[in-house]
Amino acid sequence: MAVITEQQEVAKQISDAISWPAGFGDDVNEDELSEELEELEQEELAQELLHVGEKEEEPPFKLPSVFSTHLPAGPAPEEGEDEALKQLAEWVS
């Protein structure tokens, strides 16, 4: 029985050692860790801002080229259509 109890104690010590890595105890202050993380993020952001514009970035995609010809303002009138429009305009006015 003593051997089994001793083995159980060793197993518990091993389990505790795995669960609580060295250097970390119950005295970890979450607020201090959060502040330190925020400071590191601010430093990283400041470094990124110092190097903005140093490297030229390519656009994410290439835009299509624009047509070089001009399109007509409207469809070309058919024969006889001009006369009909003139008559309609005279009738309205």
Side-chain angles (χ1 to χ4, degrees), residues 10-69:
V10 170
K12 184 178 183 320
Q13 289 176 354
I14 292 172
S15 175
D16 288 344
I18 292 172
S19 299
W20 294 99
F24 289 105
D26 293 334
D27 59 344
V28 175
N29 188 343
E30 292 291 326
D31 293 333
E32 289 179 9
L33 288 176
S34 296
E35 289 176 14
E36 186 175 348
L37 177 62
E38 179 143 345
E39 288 175 10
L40 290 172
E41 288 174 344
Q42 289 295 329
E43 288 177 12
E44 183 178 329
L45 179 63
Q47 287 297 324
E48 288 177 11
L49 290 175
L50 288 175
H51 300 293
V52 170
E54 288 183 359
K55 60 179 180 178
E56 189 173 317
E57 296 182 15
E58 294 183 24
F61 53 88
K62 185 176 180 180
L63 297 175
S65 60
V66 179
F67 294 112
S68 61
T69 59

Side-chain angles (χ1 to χ4, degrees), residues 67-88:
F67 294 112
S68 61
T69 59
H70 295 285
L71 298 176
E78 295 181 15
E79 288 183 29
E81 189 174 320
D82 285 336
E83 187 62 36
L85 286 176
K86 286 181 187 177
Q87 290 176 358
L88 184 61

